[in-house]
Amino acid sequence: MSQTKFNVRKVAVLGAGVMGAQIAAHLVNAKVSTILFDLPAKEGNKNGIVLKALEGLKKLKPSPLSNKDAVGYIEPANYEDHLHLLKDCDIVIEAIAERMDWKADLYHKVAPHLGEHTIFATNTSGLSINKLAESCPDSVRPRFCGVHFFNPPRYMHLVEIIPCVMSDAGILDNLERFLVTTLGKGVVRAKDTPNFVANRIGVFSMLATIANAEKFGIRFDIVDDLTGPRLGRPKSATFRTADVVGLDTFSHVVKTMDDTLPGDPWHGLFKSPEWLQKLIAAGALGAKSKVGIYKKDGKKMFVFDAAAGDYVGAGQKGDDAVKDILKIADPAEKFRQLRASEHPQAQFLWACFRDVFHYISYHLADIANCARDVDFAIRWGFGWSVGPFETWQAAGWQQLAQWIDEDIKAGKTLSAAALPDWALQADRAGVHFASGSYNAAGQNLVGRSTLDVYQRQLAPARVLGEASAPLGETVFENDGVRAFTTGDEILVVSFKSKAHAIGPDVIDGLNKSLDIAEDRFKGLVIWQTEEPFSVGADLQSMLPAFMTGDWAAIDTTVRRFQDTSMRLRYSQVPTVAATQGYVFGGGCEFAMHCDKTVAALESYVGLVEVGVGLLPGGGGCKEFALRAAQEAKGDVLAALKDYFMAVATAKVATSGQEAQEIGFFRKGDPVVFNAYELLYVAKQQALAMAESGYRPPLKVKGFPVAGRSGAASIKGSLINMLEGNFISQHDFFIASQIADVMTGGDVEAGTLVNEQWILDLERKAFMTLLQNSKTQDRIANMLTTGKPLRN
């Protein structure tokens, strides 16, 4: 069966709770027909429980839906009337509450209705897959496995696949193919042990942090200040994460560990602290109940103080001396200083790291197939920028192993269990190597998966210690860009600037790359080695000219920017922008001028220049004026209004699909769910255009604009906003400039203009705004604080 192509036409999700509904949402994001089941409602519409869940999806932030229409494609169903629909489903995912008895009852009910090839998977976060398989008939068990999504399913990259002993290998491969390419996930194959890989280690890490915070007397807000971005971890750090997850949910996962891991040497740690049980009993469950470890009262934030048994004012930070240690770039030196320091906060941090290293090395053999799976599971499931094994290896394996061993023998650790022999080997340099990652059970190195779907990942996620040479062969490089090829006649350009901002070096490099591509290659792709695609123009590079009032130099730079956008549009070879992360300002303008965009689903796209008191000056206003003219059915102004609002309000699309709805990207351009496949798909698009006899578009001779009457109409509604105090006087001035440019300036409605006409208006308005003191204040504020100023 695994030899034939696996087409997923329809999927059913059983259970319309938080996870079930969001898994269904992500399936329809990916254009997979989806049926969402739950119990029949006791009164009213029998699908009432599911319908309520679908309404709830529309209100969630961040949105589980990548476009406004997606929710309409989820078909509501109930177990009483619709089980016959399961026979047409290729995959059925069970996502009901974590109760073994409830799941068993449901399996008995649905099993007779499954199609003979249907994959049946449970989204349990920690129950035994083999035990659950016992509730399935013999005929279903080869097609049964665990498929553990992380919350929120749209945004968390990790999915764990957990086979039962009967799971068919071909079934598991097909499921992995679907998860990786269609849903865009990073898959880790886990062993059937309680809480699997990510939750087992991630929750242990949180429990160890809580225990060490108590031991060293560190307040919860200080813990969160020290264990978030300073360690390369999410802003929610430790205690805020517990609030976000839900204190009751966190406590439930801890109880699973308590119940199912009686032999774990750390078993004494698997208890919810008394203060946590009291908060839960009082209904303080975290974000969902608006009060948990943190609570807000008016504008004031409070944090629970376990020692005092009450809330205290929040906002205390870690000690500067300890934060200075965390800034040390060399991991070996950083750990040396943390361990040597007598400051309680430094001792706390060393203890947290040490206890996690102790735990993962002790359990590697029984919970994971290799160390790489542990690091990816924690990076993708808990949002750490570096996995725990990678951290240990980077800091010097031998030295840390020796220190951990000393602390165990001195009784300082949370368990007296000895480090495994393999971790203390005299010649061990780490667990990740060019040839593979260490598998403690087999005492061998395990290479990467050879599944065909991974051939599409030209620049896959790597762990420290794997080969990390730059991709492809460099064709051209300057201070702004690197242009390279992997031998398929496509030139790929990556920016080297911070956040891939576009300054003179990037513009020079991109133009040179276009020269080379037109001369020697079939197409050009703009792709960044990591997100964002680009935060837009590099305002910092304009500062010297700005400070000296050299407006002519800035005007020349803006003209060069516009010319580069136009080169992307009219180049002799097809141009493709491969976007992910922020695609702002000038980055968005470059993408708009390419023949195609291939957008990662998580592309956040916008012409956001009004935030710094400017308007799009790299062809964005021109492009929207042109598109409005091409789309207008006799009324250019009507077609222009939404585009104007997108620019004037700095509207940001929150997905590649929404960027097409707003009009930043073209409808029908590919949206790729797995960002690691972005480069592959972009190159295939460029090659397809080249092989189809690509010719650049003919220059637009003339297109109609809305003219001064159109601008007057837009300004009329702006005056209402100004008088209602919705916008400031300067907002009104900026928006009026945008209106004048996008309607074609001081001409009659319907006048035919060319692209250069609008570009000249755009540049002139950009320079007018740049010389305005209120805009200069906005730019200064953005450069110094990173936040927009409303003045």
Side-chain angles (χ1 to χ4, degrees):
M1 179 187 160
S2 58
Q3 299 308 305
T4 56
K5 188 168 174 234
F6 179 58
N7 289 315
V8 178
R9 295 175 179 85
K10 188 172 279 191
V11 174
V13 179
L14 311 180
V18 175
M19 282 302 282
Q22 290 197 63
I23 291 167
H26 195 56
L27 285 160
V28 290
N29 288 342
K31 300 190 173 73
V32 177
S33 290
T34 303
I35 312 170
L36 181 58
F37 279 83
D38 212 302
L39 295 163
K42 290 189 170 63
E43 49 199 46
N45 187 323
K46 280 170 87 174
N47 292 334
I49 293 172
V50 175
L51 293 169
K52 187 178 176 196
L54 298 183
E55 280 306 304
L57 287 174
K58 297 175 189 172
K59 301 179 188 128
L60 282 176
K61 291 274 182 278
S63 177
L65 301 158
S66 60
N67 61 86
K68 62 180 187 299
D69 301 326
V71 73
Y73 292 96
I74 300 175
E75 185 182 340
N78 67 76
Y79 302 128
E80 207 167 274
D81 300 333
H82 303 115
L83 286 178
H84 63 279
L85 298 174
L86 294 175
K87 72 176 188 308
D88 296 327
C89 294
D90 300 292
I91 302 173
V92 173
I93 299 169
E94 169 271 305
I96 69 167
E98 293 286 85
R99 285 267 305 261
M100 194 70 86
D101 52 341
W102 292 0
K103 289 182 190 282
D105 285 349
L106 184 62
Y107 295 3
H108 291 307
K109 193 184 290 181
V110 303
H113 300 275
L114 297 173
E116 62 176 311
H117 297 300
T118 303
I119 296 175
F120 187 37
T122 171
N123 179 57
T124 177
S125 58
L127 298 178
S128 166
I129 303 302
N130 282 298
K131 191 90 185 119
L132 289 167
E134 289 170 14
S135 300
C136 297
D138 290 351
S139 61
V140 171
R141 287 183 201 176
R143 296 177 275 128
F144 182 75
C145 65
V147 56
H148 179 211
F149 287 83
F150 276 66
N151 191 15
R154 171 182 161 186
Y155 299 96
M156 297 309 288
H157 191 56
L158 179 66
V159 173
E160 292 170 317
I161 291 181
I162 312 96
C164 68
V165 288
M166 299 273 293
S167 297
D168 175 86
I171 290 276
L172 298 172
D173 286 350
N174 280 337
L175 183 58
E176 185 162 348
R177 289 182 177 101
F178 171 73
L179 290 167
V180 169
T181 285
T182 307
L183 297 190
K185 296 302 169 193
V187 169
V188 165
R189 299 259 186 127
K191 296 184 180 184
D192 186 20
T193 55
N195 288 351
F196 315 129
V197 180
N199 272 349
R200 177 79 174 269
I201 295 161
V203 173
F204 172 83
S205 172
M206 289 174 74
L207 288 170
T209 304
I210 291 167
N212 283 314
E214 185 180 347
K215 179 177 173 183
F216 292 101
I218 316 289
R219 281 172 46 133
F220 294 172
D221 48 353
I222 293 177
V223 169
D224 278 355
D225 181 50
L226 293 172
T227 61
R230 296 183 201 284
L231 300 186
R233 298 180 192 173
K235 282 205 288 266
S236 56
T238 302
F239 291 103
R240 278 186 198 283
T241 296
D243 270 353
V244 171
V245 167
L247 301 188
D248 51 342
T249 307
F250 177 66
S251 178
H252 175 82
V253 177
V254 173
K255 185 168 181 349
T256 303
M257 292 172 81
D258 184 30
D259 294 346
T260 56
L261 294 166
D264 191 304
W266 284 264
H267 184 259
L269 192 68
F270 305 156
K271 299 269 187 293
S272 292
E274 206 173 305
W275 59 263
L276 183 62
Q277 293 173 34
K278 281 183 179 166
L279 285 177
I280 293 168
L285 305 179
K288 58 188 166 191
S289 65
K290 303 277 195 289
V291 56
I293 293 168
Y294 288 89
K295 74 169 181 179
K296 204 170 183 185
D297 189 353
K299 289 195 171 173
K300 278 191 149 178
M301 187 63 83
F302 295 86
V303 64
F304 191 75
D305 184 328
D310 203 354
Y311 289 92
V312 295
Q316 284 199 17
K317 304 287 186 197
D319 190 279
D320 286 344
V322 177
K323 291 192 286 196
D324 285 343
I325 296 175
L326 293 180
K327 287 179 189 160
I328 296 170
D330 174 19
E333 178 59 19
K334 183 190 304 185
F335 276 99
R336 190 189 69 71
Q337 291 201 26
L338 279 179
R339 188 166 189 266
S341 170
E342 291 182 5
H343 197 295
Q345 292 174 18
Q347 292 173 354
F348 157 75
L349 286 167
W350 159 249
C352 290
F353 276 111
R354 174 203 64 210
D355 292 334
V356 169
F357 296 156
H358 188 188
Y359 194 76
I360 60 176
S361 57
Y362 184 89
H363 282 299
L364 178 58
D366 49 87
I367 67 170
N369 294 313
C370 70
R372 179 177 52 246
D373 287 349
V374 169
D375 281 339
F376 279 159
I378 296 297
R379 275 164 51 175
W380 297 342
F382 278 79
W384 294 18
S385 59
V386 183
F389 276 123
E390 292 177 286
T391 305
W392 182 350
Q393 183 165 331
W397 187 277
Q398 298 275 332
Q399 179 64 80
L400 260 63
Q402 183 192 324
W403 286 338
I404 298 164
D405 194 40
E406 285 170 13
D407 281 10
I408 294 168
K409 287 169 179 159
K412 293 180 178 178
T413 51
L414 294 172
S415 158
L419 275 179
D421 292 342
W422 67 262
L424 287 164
Q425 282 167 350
D427 59 346
R428 179 159 297 285
V431 287
H432 300 307
F433 306 95
S435 52
S437 289
Y438 188 66
N439 163 21
Q443 297 185 11
N444 62 332
L445 294 180
V446 177
R448 300 295 287 255
S449 168
T450 55
L451 204 61
D452 51 5
V453 72
Y454 294 110
Q455 302 306 307
R456 297 165 58 87
Q457 298 190 7
L458 303 181
R462 298 266 182 219
V463 283
L464 177 101
E466 275 190 288
S468 60
L471 185 65
E473 177 197 338
T474 302
V475 176
F476 163 77
E477 192 165 11
N478 70 351
D479 288 344
V481 311
R482 174 180 177 250
F484 65 91
T485 178
T486 57
D488 54 7
E489 299 187 272
I490 298 297
L491 188 66
V492 182
V493 182
S494 295
F495 301 172
K496 291 159 59 176
S497 50
K498 186 181 176 187
H500 306 132
I502 301 163
D505 290 335
V506 169
I507 289 173
D508 289 347
L510 188 52
N511 276 287
K512 177 69 175 167
S513 300
L514 281 161
D515 293 341
I516 294 168
E518 288 179 337
D519 197 31
R520 291 164 42 198
F521 289 88
K522 286 184 174 175
L524 178 135
V525 169
I526 304 175
W527 168 84
Q528 314 299 8
T529 54
E530 57 188 11
E531 59 177 86
F533 178 74
S534 173
V535 292
D538 181 4
L539 292 174
Q540 204 85 40
S541 68
M542 287 188 192
L543 266 186
F546 190 54
M547 301 305 280
T548 57
D550 189 351
W551 306 116
I554 296 176
D555 187 82
T556 303
T557 301
V558 178
R559 185 189 293 270
R560 191 111 207 282
F561 207 124
Q562 293 180 334
D563 291 347
T564 306
S565 291
M566 294 295 278
R567 266 206 84 182
L568 287 167
R569 163 65 42 84
Y570 294 111
S571 163
Q572 293 302 308
V573 293
T575 56
V576 177
T579 69
Q580 66 163 321
Y582 297 143
V583 190
F584 286 167
C588 178
E589 288 169 306
F590 277 177
M592 289 170 81
H593 282 81
C594 287
D595 291 298
K596 265 191 191 301
T597 50
V598 174
L601 179 71
E602 301 309 333
S603 292
Y604 302 91
V605 189
L607 294 168
V608 295
E609 285 83 351
V610 297
V612 286
L614 294 168
L615 52 66
C621 295
K622 178 274 300 178
E623 193 56 21
F624 271 162
L626 173 60
R627 290 181 191 187
Q630 290 168 337
E631 290 159 19
K633 296 184 170 60
D635 187 347
V636 177
L637 181 62
L640 186 69
K641 275 185 170 166
D642 284 349
Y643 288 145
F644 166 79
M645 286 306 288
V647 177
T649 61
K651 189 169 190 177
V652 174
T654 57
S655 73
Q657 293 168 346
E658 199 185 336
Q660 293 182 359
E661 286 171 10
I662 294 169
F664 295 122
F665 297 164
R666 292 175 198 80
K667 287 185 171 60
D669 275 0
V671 174
V672 175
F673 273 57
N674 196 320
Y676 293 111
E677 296 184 353
L678 196 59
L679 179 58
Y680 171 83
V681 177
K683 289 166 79 167
Q684 293 299 316
Q685 293 288 323
L687 283 167
M689 283 188 278
E691 298 300 341
S692 310
Y694 177 82
R695 295 287 307 155
L698 293 168
K699 290 214 168 153
V700 183
K701 285 254 171 77
F703 59 91
V705 290
R708 69 177 79 88
S709 60
S713 163
I714 292 172
K715 287 174 191 174
S717 31
L718 290 174
I719 286 168
N720 292 338
M721 291 170 78
L722 180 64
E723 287 174 350
N725 285 326
F726 295 109
I727 58 173
S728 70
Q729 191 72 47
H730 193 50
D731 291 330
F732 175 78
F733 179 63
I734 299 163
S736 299
Q737 293 280 331
I738 295 167
D740 286 338
V741 173
M742 290 178 77
T743 55
D746 190 12
V747 295
E748 295 290 330
T751 301
L752 298 182
V753 303
N754 62 18
E755 289 176 274
Q756 193 57 50
W757 173 268
I758 306 270
L759 287 170
D760 291 343
L761 289 174
E762 189 181 86
R763 197 174 65 258
K764 187 178 170 201
F766 183 93
M767 295 306 298
T768 300
L769 287 167
L770 193 60
Q771 292 171 63
N772 183 294
S773 63
K774 281 198 159 64
T775 282
Q776 291 172 6
D777 290 344
R778 287 191 181 189
I779 292 171
N781 196 72
M782 180 62 83
L783 289 175
T784 50
T785 69
K787 293 187 172 69
L789 170 71
R790 293 302 302 277
N791 58 355

